[in-house]
Amino acid sequence: MAEKLRLMTVHAHPDDESSKGAATTARYVAEGHDVMVVTCTGGEVGSILNPAMERPDVLANMPEIRRAEMAKAAEILGVQHRWLGYVDSGLPEGDPLPPLPEGCFATVDPALPTADLVALLREFRPHVVITYDENGGYPHPDHIRCHEVSMAAFDAAGDPELYQDAGEPWQPLKLYYSHGFSRKKMQLFHDALLERGLESPYGDWLAKWDGTRPDTDERVTTRVECGAYFEARDDALRAHATQIDPDSRWFAVPLDIQRALWPTEDYELVRSLVDSTLPEDDLFSGVREKVSA
């Protein structure tokens, strides 16, 4: 490898890095590149989604437990990790929706986390950044704020007039949105499971799918082959024991089916300061040539 490259992924909560693009990060680490995961909040108010962890001692120590889970997942993936240090906003429910807690990530002045992320961008100096789309991947207030902060920081990090106390300017060369489960992918897995006589967890989702909503797969520009790292992805997911039930839909599709039908993780290129031809199969496409020139 002629040049070690750097990739930063920005996420809202601990476990997002394992459910969104984990096999990609494991692949690039294995290839000798540096990868940093930035987690904006501590996930302090996330619900316990694994019945085995629904215990008083866990509920009483959620912040510490989620930090330990994140450390284990980062070790499995081989990535560097940083906390941005903001408080989980929670997912408001009800009609009308209750207000978000004062001081949480989604209610603070966006300039504050933007400055913090600019400082990390200038410290780590990534060539490529991954974040969520304008809908946050799904409309959680922390995911939407993560998108807003990531976009602002990407645009500001290279400007010497902005955030002058945040380190020497550094301009990343590409920015991507990560895209996970599309309807097309879900249908392929659903059909394959039924053909094998296995139970599919996707039937209800597909039946309720809003046919007027565009499939996120239509936005994908870049498909990264990473089937060899699906085990690492799943191990990292299981490290978040409060959030991931090992018997849940996350692990419903056998890996051989996944590798045969959809061996990639998928992204949308939304900012680029290098020349690359779409569609791509490498997040560093164009970057390698620019850096080695």
Side-chain angles (χ1 to χ4, degrees):
M1 184 179 63
E3 185 77 28
K4 177 180 282 195
L5 301 174
R6 294 180 298 277
L7 169 67
M8 176 183 284
T9 70
V10 188
H11 293 282
H13 309 107
D15 78 71
D16 289 327
E17 85 297 326
S18 296
S19 61
K20 302 168 186 66
T24 298
T25 57
R27 169 191 157 171
Y28 283 123
V29 168
E31 291 179 355
H33 302 297
D34 289 333
V35 178
M36 177 179 284
V37 169
V38 178
T39 308
C40 294
T41 80
E44 300 89 346
V45 298
S47 301
I48 293 179
L49 303 178
N50 179 0
M53 297 295 285
E54 191 79 50
R55 307 192 311 260
D57 60 312
V58 173
L59 288 165
N61 296 285
M62 278 292 284
E64 295 83 358
I65 289 171
R66 295 210 71 183
R67 290 183 77 86
E69 290 174 344
M70 182 65 239
K72 183 176 180 181
E75 181 180 4
I76 290 167
L77 296 174
V79 300
Q80 302 176 47
H81 178 253
R82 295 292 185 87
W83 298 98
L84 215 58
Y86 290 86
V87 176
D88 187 352
S89 304
L91 184 59
E93 296 181 87
D95 187 12
L97 291 174
L100 293 170
E102 185 176 351
C104 68
F105 182 52
T107 64
V108 299
D109 180 350
L112 298 175
T114 298
D116 293 335
L117 186 55
V118 166
L120 284 180
L121 286 165
R122 291 176 176 177
E123 174 192 335
F124 182 62
R125 299 164 67 87
H127 300 95
V128 174
V129 176
I130 303 172
T131 189
Y132 309 142
D133 69 12
E134 67 280 0
N135 300 309
Y138 79 108
H140 189 297
D142 286 338
H143 283 243
I144 293 170
R145 176 53 55 87
C146 179
H147 160 81
E148 295 166 350
V149 168
S150 299
M151 301 303 289
F154 182 92
D155 291 337
D159 190 336
E161 300 300 316
L162 298 175
Y163 302 101
Q164 295 182 13
D165 295 331
E168 290 295 318
W170 172 261
Q171 181 57 62
L173 297 175
K174 299 175 85 174
L175 182 142
Y176 290 89
Y177 296 155
S178 61
H179 289 300
F181 254 61
S182 67
R183 190 191 190 288
K184 179 180 178 182
K185 183 176 183 179
M186 197 180 303
Q187 187 71 60
L188 279 173
F189 286 174
H190 175 75
D191 293 343
L193 289 168
L194 295 184
E195 286 170 7
R196 286 196 178 193
L198 301 173
E199 186 176 350
S200 169
Y202 307 122
D204 287 344
W205 284 8
L206 290 166
K208 295 175 182 177
W209 195 278
D210 180 359
T212 65
R213 186 176 72 187
D215 192 343
T216 56
D217 191 62
E218 297 172 8
R219 299 176 58 167
V220 168
T221 63
T222 310
R223 301 185 190 274
V224 178
E225 179 89 33
C226 51
Y229 301 94
F230 285 171
E231 286 95 346
R233 173 204 63 192
D234 288 355
D235 287 344
L237 269 171
R238 282 187 283 263
H240 293 282
T242 59
Q243 303 300 299
I244 305 296
D245 182 345
D247 297 321
S248 68
R249 63 176 174 82
W250 290 108
F251 311 106
V253 184
L255 292 183
D256 65 314
I257 292 180
Q258 293 185 47
R259 291 188 178 111
L261 297 182
W262 208 288
T264 64
E265 290 179 335
D266 306 324
Y267 303 89
E268 177 185 358
L269 179 62
V270 290
R271 294 271 202 284
S272 183
L273 302 178
V274 298
D275 293 328
S276 59
T277 301
L278 301 181
E280 304 171 315
D281 61 4
D282 180 8
L283 299 178
F284 292 125
S285 177
V287 173
R288 298 177 190 275
E289 296 78 6
K290 175 91 172 175
V291 170
S292 62

